[in-house]
Amino acid sequence: MRVSAEVGERPVRGARGAGSETIKAAVFDLDGTLANTRPAISKLLVKVAAEQGCPVTPRQAAAAVGKPPGQAFGRLLGKPEDDGRVLAAIGRYRELFAYDVLCQGPQLLFPGVTAGLSALRAHGVELAVATSKTTRGAESLLDVMGIRELVGPVIGQDMVRRGKPHPEMVLRAAGRLGVAAGESAYVGDTVGDMRMAVTARMEAVAVTYGAGTFGELAAVAGTRMCSSFKDVVSVIAACRPRQTAGVAAQRRRR
């Protein structure tokens, strides 16, 4: 898949995997990876669904966390995404998000995230976020947690035509950073995240403290497993970019 350069994107530095020893960029999911928002968002989904006359269990709500609001409420309410009740629920959710979720600020961060992101930056790794949230919602969450200045581009669901697990989102993030996909890693907590990374030919790095179980995540071929954010930093630091068949063949001929 070829992605054309867009306004504001930086030129990709070199061919994929050529002349490089370490991963140059890391793109992160947000909910369940950097931010421990699952409990607060689940509670809010239950609250909003109840207001729409559709009681759901905390478990049902938890399964919807990380999905775009239309998909989440469509599933919870059993209605099409363009149904009036779904649209009303989305509006109410966004209205209450600041009061029910953002108010928790830095307490939403998983342990080690701030120090880990700082360490990656210090080692020259470019950072970005690619999330199913809207860009505005993601920016707000990063701001209140105090880590917005540590990451560069933020790519939300509203900035792409096709969401996860299609690779458009992470490829756009890598393009904004000016780093080839093969020299990048994507860090997430769901099977969809890992499939997106693999399709984009990025290093797929899974955290097991989020939504996905160890077994589900490990079943995606090529996934690197991490039980803490400290592990994420170590894995990214140890990764080596994958070579294309062409690059590998050239090196064998030398």
Side-chain angles (χ1 to χ4, degrees):
M1 173 180 177
R2 182 178 182 277
V3 178
S4 59
E6 300 181 34
V7 175
E9 292 184 351
R10 291 151 50 185
V12 172
R13 297 199 298 262
R16 184 177 184 274
S20 172
E21 295 183 353
T22 59
I23 290 295
K24 294 181 178 179
V27 185
F28 294 89
D29 173 47
L30 188 47
D31 294 311
T33 301
L34 301 179
N36 187 18
T37 50
R38 191 177 183 83
I41 290 179
S42 296
K43 187 175 180 180
L44 180 55
L45 291 174
V46 169
K47 180 179 180 178
V48 173
E51 290 181 354
Q52 294 298 318
C54 186
V56 299
T57 67
R59 184 174 182 178
Q60 289 172 319
V65 176
K67 294 180 172 57
Q71 290 182 23
F73 282 110
R75 174 178 295 185
L76 293 175
L77 302 181
K79 301 287 183 181
E81 292 184 30
D82 59 354
D83 183 84
R85 290 172 65 186
V86 171
L87 297 177
I90 293 172
R92 181 62 169 159
Y93 173 84
R94 289 174 174 163
E95 177 187 347
L96 295 175
F97 191 81
Y99 301 100
D100 289 40
V101 181
L102 294 183
C103 64
Q104 299 183 39
Q107 297 178 35
L108 293 169
L109 284 169
F110 279 111
V113 167
T114 301
L117 294 177
S118 298
L120 289 171
R121 280 172 55 94
H123 283 85
V125 179
E126 303 273 4
L127 307 180
V129 167
T131 172
S132 291
K133 281 185 164 348
T134 64
T135 305
R136 181 178 179 181
E139 295 269 12
S140 296
L141 180 55
L142 291 165
D143 276 334
V144 300
M145 293 192 301
I147 59 170
R148 178 62 189 93
E149 72 280 2
L150 294 177
V151 300
V154 176
I155 308 298
Q157 180 77 16
D158 53 310
M159 295 180 66
V160 296
R161 290 172 295 175
R162 291 157 294 192
K164 299 178 182 181
H166 192 279
E168 180 181 0
M169 185 179 294
V170 286
L171 291 174
R172 181 162 183 169
R176 288 286 187 89
L177 292 172
V179 178
E183 296 176 323
S184 306
Y186 184 72
V187 185
D189 69 313
T190 68
V191 170
D193 289 337
M194 296 304 98
R195 288 176 177 166
M196 177 173 66
V198 170
T199 303
R201 303 197 70 184
M202 292 182 171
E203 290 292 341
V205 181
V207 297
T208 59
Y209 53 74
T213 67
F214 186 97
E216 291 170 345
L217 296 167
V220 181
T223 299
R224 298 173 184 262
M225 309 295 290
C226 299
S227 61
S228 69
F229 202 80
K230 184 177 180 180
D231 289 345
V232 170
V233 176
S234 297
V235 164
I236 291 174
C239 279
R240 296 295 182 268
R242 301 177 182 180
Q243 296 179 9
T244 62
V247 170
Q250 287 177 9
R251 291 188 176 181
R252 285 195 297 270
R253 288 195 295 268
R254 289 175 182 172

